[in-house]
Amino acid sequence: MATTKTNTAPIAPGACIGILGGGQLGRMTAIAAVEMGYRCLILEPQEGCPASHVADHIAGAYEDEAVLARFAEACDVVTLEFENVPVDALKFLEERVPVRPGSHALKIAQDRILEKQFLNDAGIGTAPWAEITDEQSLKDAIDRIGIPSVLKTARFGYDGKGQVMLKPGSDPSKAWEDLGRVRCILEGFVDFDCEVSVITARSANGTVKAFPVVMNEHRDHILYKTHAPADLPTSTAKAAEDIADKAIEALDLTGLLAVEMFACRDGSVLVNEVAPRPHNSGHWSIDACMTSQFQQLVRAVCGLPLGSTEILRPAEMTNLLGNEIDDWAAFLAEPNAQLHLYGKAEAKPGRKMGHVTRLK
């Protein structure tokens, strides 16, 4: 699906792309940008972050306006690689340089309640949900939604952090206590057949183009494998792509939007969550697609023509967590495998240290 709006002057190669965040997503975005002739500047508090190995780096706080002003002065356009940048930082930057995606999309993506409400208002289905602010609202939500369900913090949860599954016999009050008695969301259990995702891009000139639907496997709430393309009925795959395109248009977002969804047993597709950035489930595209998700992000934020999202070969991407990267030599010996390591200094259990993509 592709639509086009009023053209915007492109930002040509040679310009500087600012990236908020210095993790592996920023690293792979910078690599793609440099290959296309751009310079990159990373703003990330941590010295020696993965992206700093491949691009210039300012080690400063996102809340420091002097640092932000220096960053904006050096950049022709700014994008981000993760959601936990303060919205006020983007608002400050937006007054000085194009920021894509902007503060509006980030504000919604940072808050599960705002996110669910926005999606529902746009006519996009999700699991049943309710906002939790105290014990009475939790009790009322359970009465309405039922158990099993999932209690999640409204903000700052990822890879299974900040959430508790409520099962028959669970103590909801203790679950909320364990999450810090902060504002939460209760989400109803979804009877799904598989978890899928779509990454779609929207250029500064309004063109929208989605990557094919992929199927995801998780272990302990962390993405383990992605299969591209997903083995789905054509109608289900089209529904998922249409949902992703509808969401990025509704957000008026320039850049990438990753939409994680449940393909349900009744044939419906429901959105779990969205992320306005490159996504772990799109890493396969580096080796198996005409255009990688990272190159597509560069194209989108710079107002260039979006690349083809054609799959060249089916692929399976596997995350390498913690000490699994110790097997790097074995991965390199596989004839159909491509190894990507992120340059992180310390391997910790559950930490994403790299990935391997196997072409089929």
Side-chain angles (χ1 to χ4, degrees):
M1 176 179 177
T3 58
T4 304
K5 294 183 178 179
T6 305
N7 287 335
T8 299
I11 297 170
C16 180
I17 301 172
I19 302 174
L20 294 166
Q24 64 264 24
L25 300 179
R27 176 189 177 102
M28 289 183 276
T29 298
I31 290 171
V34 169
E35 288 178 343
M36 296 173 67
Y38 291 90
R39 295 173 292 116
C40 288
L41 179 61
I42 309 299
L43 177 56
E44 156 69 47
Q46 178 189 346
E47 293 277 8
C49 60
S52 71
H53 304 163
V54 299
D56 291 335
H57 174 218
I58 295 175
Y62 301 123
E63 298 83 2
D64 188 329
E65 291 190 351
V67 169
L68 291 173
R70 180 158 63 100
F71 180 67
E73 179 66 25
C75 299
D76 296 285
V77 64
V78 170
T79 190
L80 52 86
E81 67 117 39
F82 79 134
E83 291 96 313
N84 291 340
V85 178
V87 170
D88 285 347
L90 264 67
K91 290 180 177 178
F92 181 90
L93 292 169
E94 285 170 335
E95 297 176 356
R96 294 160 174 80
V97 64
V99 180
R100 299 165 176 168
S103 58
H104 170 66
L106 180 65
K107 180 180 179 181
I108 291 170
Q110 282 184 346
D111 189 296
R112 288 187 170 107
I113 293 166
L114 293 180
E115 178 185 76
K116 289 290 195 296
Q117 189 63 63
F118 182 87
L119 291 168
N120 293 165
D121 289 346
I124 297 172
T126 63
W129 62 274
E131 181 177 3
I132 308 302
T133 55
D134 53 31
E135 293 205 25
Q136 185 59 51
S137 61
L138 177 56
K139 180 180 182 302
D140 292 343
I142 291 173
D143 288 344
R144 180 167 64 85
I145 294 174
I147 289 178
S149 51
V150 185
L151 185 65
K152 302 178 180 179
T153 56
R155 295 170 61 84
F156 302 123
Y158 66 96
D159 285 348
K161 298 177 177 66
Q163 61 181 265
V164 178
M165 173 71 79
L166 299 182
K167 302 175 182 178
S170 295
D171 182 345
S173 295
K174 183 180 184 304
W176 191 47
E177 181 75 32
D178 290 344
L179 292 175
R181 298 179 66 86
V182 297
R183 179 167 159 268
C184 286
I185 185 171
L186 184 73
E187 296 181 7
F189 183 76
V190 175
D191 184 24
F192 61 89
D193 185 52
C194 62
E195 296 179 76
V196 301
S197 59
V198 173
I199 296 171
T200 192
R202 185 169 181 265
S203 181
N205 66 16
T207 302
V208 175
K209 187 175 290 187
F211 285 86
V213 188
V214 298
M215 192 272 283
N216 301 315
E217 297 179 44
H218 291 81
R219 284 186 176 177
D220 298 324
H221 304 286
I222 300 173
L223 182 63
Y224 170 53
K225 285 187 178 183
T226 293
H227 305 269
D231 183 14
L232 292 173
T234 302
S235 59
T236 304
K238 184 178 186 308
E241 290 182 20
D242 288 348
I243 286 170
D245 287 350
K246 186 175 184 178
I248 201 170
E249 289 275 25
L251 283 167
D252 193 22
L253 185 156
T254 298
L256 293 186
L257 184 70
V259 185
E260 295 184 81
M261 293 171 265
F262 300 115
C264 301
R265 300 187 196 283
D266 64 3
S268 64
V269 179
L270 299 176
V271 172
N272 180 25
E273 59 186 26
V274 302
R277 54 166 173 78
H279 194 260
N280 197 170
S281 68
H283 291 352
W284 62 273
S285 63
I286 299 172
D287 303 304
C289 200
M290 182 67 75
T291 307
S292 77
Q293 65 165 338
F294 301 102
Q295 186 187 109
Q296 197 78 306
L297 175 61
V298 173
R299 288 170 175 256
V301 302
C302 291
L304 308 179
L306 295 181
S308 167
T309 55
E310 176 190 358
I311 292 181
L312 301 178
R313 289 178 65 176
E316 176 185 282
M317 187 283 301
T318 303
N319 270 330
L320 302 178
L321 306 178
N323 291 330
E324 290 174 351
I325 63 162
D326 291 346
D327 292 330
W328 57 268
F331 298 131
L332 288 174
E334 294 184 38
N336 292 329
Q338 288 286 348
L339 176 66
H340 300 263
L341 300 182
Y342 304 150
K344 295 182 179 180
E346 183 181 0
K348 300 178 181 178
R351 190 180 195 192
K352 296 171 183 173
M353 303 298 295
H355 69 269
V356 60
T357 300
R358 295 177 173 89
L359 303 179
K360 302 296 184 178

